């Protein structure tokens, strides 16, 4: 492999000649060989390209960066946003907790690519743009990385996670309407309870998802606040006046999303409560989806030795030894994703609590876990929706059988003959393995006609 010499404040470093990064990136690449498939998420790189572009425009408008340099930085940022340099960002999540090395990776790539665009040789000719002095002007890793975190998180939720949830919600609403006349037995404590319709049951699932979406949407406001302009500790040292306000406006214009400057940069650098809040909404949805998926798993269990009330789509063979077995694989995938999100929340919660003094230094692990959760939840919802939920149908024969045999239909007699006589009927039917009607009539508490009139599932929902 051919190398070139790059320099930073610690001295010379050999860098692969075909790469655009510089000395600080190479040091990080060699010093943090931690974990397989642990690359910094591209969403962060894309967010960095967005904020570097906005910073160059803002610095030019405020008179601290000349137009030629600003145009070159913008041009390279646009190339990065179009994914033309994906192989130039080799660093891993497990690096400095401020994300400094990723910030410098982006700075170096932009500076060296600008050198190429200006027909100058990297590492030999005088640089037309300097990574720290020009690309990083009016910035610090301490305010750019949290800004990138918010941009990446906001984009992921708005363009991936929330649309997937809304599609899932629409299907649940459709199913609740489709199943509104399917009367089934209810269950509490995993024991028979009074009837409800399958549509009512699914409407509860719809509301759980709706509540989660609302929580997620509310959290977007906190994510819209950007730390950029706080520089090293939140004071804005070395940034021109109004840089924070103007750069946020430019980011909003570039992304077409409602980003604003954070009202308090000290909070924006030292803590990550906006990420905690948004991920709590993702965890809320994971908890709700876990509950929903487990209900569907149980109602679809069988086909002959389980509840068997729902017919789930049969997508794949379920066993390598048991012929004809089909398993609820989409449910299993969804619940595993939910388990991962709940685990990610623990990591984010702990990492966000470690904001000593003016800087939280767990930023990469916080955003990596957040983006994984948001991506997985969206993907799993799409998969579950398309490959399971849309194809679910009630097994009406089994639904009627379980409803008819339930002892808890006796609850309808409470207001007619009282709780204690009703309980006596249920216990007699259970112990003697007879129907409720037979037990009620034999005890002399109701006539056959009264039982048929009063114990009608349609009147109990």
């Amino acid at each position: 492999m051919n190398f070139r010499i790059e320099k930073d404040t610690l001295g010379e470093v050999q860098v692969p000649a075909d790469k655009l990064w510089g000395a600080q990136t190479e040091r990080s690449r060699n010093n943090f060989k931690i974990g397989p498939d642990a690359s910094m998420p591209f969403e962060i790189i894309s967010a960095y390209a967005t904020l570097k572009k906005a910073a160059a425009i803002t610095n030019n408008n405020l008179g601290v960066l000349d137009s030629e340099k600003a145009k070159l930085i913008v041009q390279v940022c646009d190339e990065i946003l179009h994914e033309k340099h994906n192989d130039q960002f080799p660093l891993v999540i497990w690096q400095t907790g401020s994300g400094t090395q990723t910030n410098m990776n982006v700075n170096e790539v932009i500076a060296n690519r600008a050198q190429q665009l200006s027909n100058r040789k990297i590492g030999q000719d005088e640089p037309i743009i300097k990574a720290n002095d020009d690309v990083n002007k009016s910035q610090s890793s301490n305010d750019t990385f949290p800004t990138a975190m918010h941009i990446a998180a906001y984009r992921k939720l708005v363009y991936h996670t929330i649309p997937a949830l809304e599609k899932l919600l629409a299907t649940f609403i459709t199913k609740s309407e489709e199943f509104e006349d399917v009367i089934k037995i209810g269950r509490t404590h995993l024991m028979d309870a009074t009837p409800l319709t399958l549509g009512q049951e699914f409407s509860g699932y719809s509301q759980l998802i709706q509540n989660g979406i609302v929580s997620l949407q509310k959290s977007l406001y906190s994510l819209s606040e950007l730390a950029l302009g706080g520089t090293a500790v939140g004071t804005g040292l070395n940034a021109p006046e109004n840089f924070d306000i103007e750069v946020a406006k430019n980011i909003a214009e570039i992304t077409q999303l409602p980003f604003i400057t954070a009202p308090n940069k000290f909070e924006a650098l030292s803590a990550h409560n906006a990420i905690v809040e948004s991920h709590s909404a993702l965890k809320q949805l994971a908890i709700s989806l876990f509950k929903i998926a487990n209900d569907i798993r149980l109602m679809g269990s069988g086909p002959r030795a389980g509840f068997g009330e729902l017919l789930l789509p049969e997508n794949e063979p379920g066993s390598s030894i048991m012929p004809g077995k089909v398993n609820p694989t989409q449910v299993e995938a969804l619940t595993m994703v939910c388990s991962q999100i709940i685990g990610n929340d623990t990591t984010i919660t702990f990492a966000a609590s470690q904001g000593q003094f003016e800087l939280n230094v767990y930023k990469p692990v916080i955003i990596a876990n957040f983006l994984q959760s948001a991506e997985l939840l969206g993907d799993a919802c799409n998969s579950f929706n398309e490959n399971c939920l849309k194809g679910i149908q009630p097994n009406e024969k089994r639904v009627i059988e379980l409803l008819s045999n339930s002892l808890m239909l006796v609850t309808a007699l409470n207001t007619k003959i009282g709780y204690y006589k009703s309980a006596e009927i249920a216990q007699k039917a259970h112990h003697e393995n007879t129907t409720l009607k037979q037990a009620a009539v034999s005890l002399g508490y109701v006539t056959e006609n009264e039982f048929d009139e009063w114990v009608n599932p349609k009147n109990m929902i």
Side-chain angles (χ1 to χ4, degrees):
M1 181 182 291
N2 294 322
F3 294 90
R4 68 174 188 276
I5 300 299
E6 289 268 359
K7 296 180 181 180
D8 61 13
T9 56
L10 294 182
E12 294 184 347
V13 178
Q14 281 191 324
V15 177
D18 62 337
K19 301 302 181 183
L20 292 173
W21 63 72
Q24 291 196 47
T25 302
E26 187 65 14
R27 290 187 193 278
S28 181
R29 193 169 76 95
N30 291 324
N31 291 341
F32 298 96
K33 296 178 179 179
I34 303 174
D37 301 322
S39 297
M40 185 65 66
F42 180 75
E43 291 90 344
I44 288 294
I45 305 302
S46 176
Y48 254 109
T50 299
L51 73 88
K52 295 292 179 183
K53 176 179 178 178
I57 293 169
T58 305
N59 282 323
N60 177 244
N61 291 342
L62 295 177
V64 295
L65 183 70
D66 69 55
S67 296
E68 182 184 0
K69 291 181 178 181
K71 287 178 182 178
L72 280 169
I73 292 172
V74 167
Q75 183 176 348
V76 179
C77 288
D78 284 338
E79 290 181 355
I80 295 171
L81 288 170
H82 286 93
E83 301 189 32
K84 292 184 178 180
H85 303 295
N86 288 8
D87 61 341
Q88 302 300 324
F89 304 99
L91 303 188
V92 295
I93 298 160
W94 317 110
Q95 55 166 279
T96 178
S98 61
T100 298
Q101 287 136 16
T102 288
N103 179 37
M104 285 308 304
N105 183 193
V106 176
N107 289 337
E108 289 173 345
V109 168
I110 292 172
N112 283 335
R113 175 58 180 155
Q115 194 80 339
Q116 286 182 339
L117 293 172
S118 303
N119 295 316
R120 301 185 183 203
K121 293 182 179 180
I122 299 171
Q124 296 182 28
D125 296 336
E126 179 69 20
I128 190 169
I129 286 177
K130 295 181 179 179
N132 290 82
D133 291 336
D134 299 316
V135 185
N136 203 59
K137 183 176 285 294
S138 309
Q139 305 153 61
S140 162
S141 299
N142 297 351
D143 66 347
T144 59
F145 202 90
T147 297
M149 290 169 70
H150 279 213
I151 293 171
Y154 199 111
R155 280 172 166 167
K156 181 63 72 175
L157 293 180
V158 168
Y159 295 128
H160 183 69
T161 313
I162 292 175
L165 287 162
E166 289 174 337
K167 289 177 184 177
L168 187 68
L169 174 61
T171 303
F172 268 112
I173 291 172
T174 298
K175 288 294 179 182
S176 66
E177 295 169 352
E178 185 180 326
F179 300 156
E180 63 182 356
D181 295 326
V182 180
I183 302 173
K184 65 182 291 287
I185 195 63
R187 297 181 183 88
T188 59
H189 306 269
L190 279 178
M191 307 298 283
D192 297 356
T194 57
L196 76 168
T197 70
L198 186 59
Q200 289 171 327
E201 200 162 32
F202 271 58
S203 77
Y205 303 152
S206 301
Q207 192 62 53
L208 283 171
I209 297 169
Q210 178 67 56
N211 292 345
I213 292 173
V214 169
S215 295
L216 206 52
Q217 289 172 330
K218 286 181 178 178
S219 75
L220 290 175
Y221 181 78
S222 296
L223 287 177
S224 72
E225 296 181 347
L226 303 180
L228 200 55
T231 64
V233 296
T235 61
L237 179 67
N238 290 349
E241 186 177 359
N242 292 326
F243 174 82
D244 58 342
I245 296 171
E246 295 303 316
V247 77
K249 288 180 181 178
N250 285 321
I251 291 172
E253 184 176 343
I254 292 166
T255 62
Q256 294 297 294
L257 294 170
F259 289 112
I260 57 174
T261 191
N264 189 306
K265 305 300 188 299
F266 306 102
E267 182 272 341
L269 272 62
S270 65
H272 289 296
N273 286 351
I275 296 287
V276 173
E277 177 188 357
S278 294
H279 199 272
S280 292
L282 291 174
K283 182 184 74 171
Q284 174 189 340
L285 281 156
I287 291 168
S288 296
L289 288 167
F290 208 124
K291 182 265 189 295
I292 292 167
N294 267 338
D295 283 359
I296 289 173
R297 186 205 313 258
L298 287 171
M299 283 190 282
S301 62
R304 296 189 177 181
F307 289 107
E309 293 178 327
L310 293 181
L311 301 172
L312 308 185
E314 299 183 348
N315 297 325
E316 311 95 13
S319 172
S320 61
I321 188 172
M322 292 175 280
K325 194 174 193 297
V326 179
N327 295 328
T329 53
Q330 288 296 321
V331 166
E332 291 165 3
L334 179 58
T335 52
M336 284 192 287
V337 164
C338 293
S339 299
Q340 182 67 52
I341 292 169
I342 292 167
N344 287 351
D345 194 74
T346 300
T347 298
I348 290 172
T349 299
F350 178 79
S353 73
Q354 302 302 300
Q356 298 91 353
F357 303 117
E358 278 63 63
L359 189 70
N360 174 286
V361 290
Y362 289 72
K363 299 182 191 303
V365 73
I366 289 173
I367 192 58
N369 277 267
F370 183 96
L371 292 172
Q372 185 191 48
S373 292
E375 179 81 17
L376 285 175
L377 190 66
D379 288 347
C381 284
N382 282 331
S383 180
F384 181 75
N385 187 42
E386 292 297 324
N387 299 310
C388 183
L389 184 57
K390 286 184 176 181
I392 287 177
Q393 292 298 323
N395 183 353
E396 298 200 34
K397 181 179 178 181
R398 180 63 171 163
V399 167
I400 293 170
E401 176 188 352
L402 293 175
L403 176 65
S404 301
N405 288 334
S406 174
L407 299 177
M408 290 304 100
L409 296 180
V410 78
T411 307
L413 294 178
N414 279 6
T415 58
K416 306 297 182 181
I417 62 174
Y419 179 91
Y420 296 103
K421 289 181 178 179
S422 298
E424 186 180 353
I425 292 171
Q427 290 165 357
K428 180 178 175 64
H430 179 55
H431 293 143
E432 297 179 2
N433 197 26
T434 65
T435 66
L436 284 175
K437 184 175 181 179
Q438 288 170 329
V441 173
S442 68
L443 286 169
Y445 294 150
V446 297
T447 65
E448 290 189 21
N449 288 338
E450 287 173 333
F451 186 92
D452 291 339
E453 180 183 351
W454 294 338
V455 185
N456 184 346
K458 290 183 180 180
N459 297 330
M460 299 175 69
I461 59 173

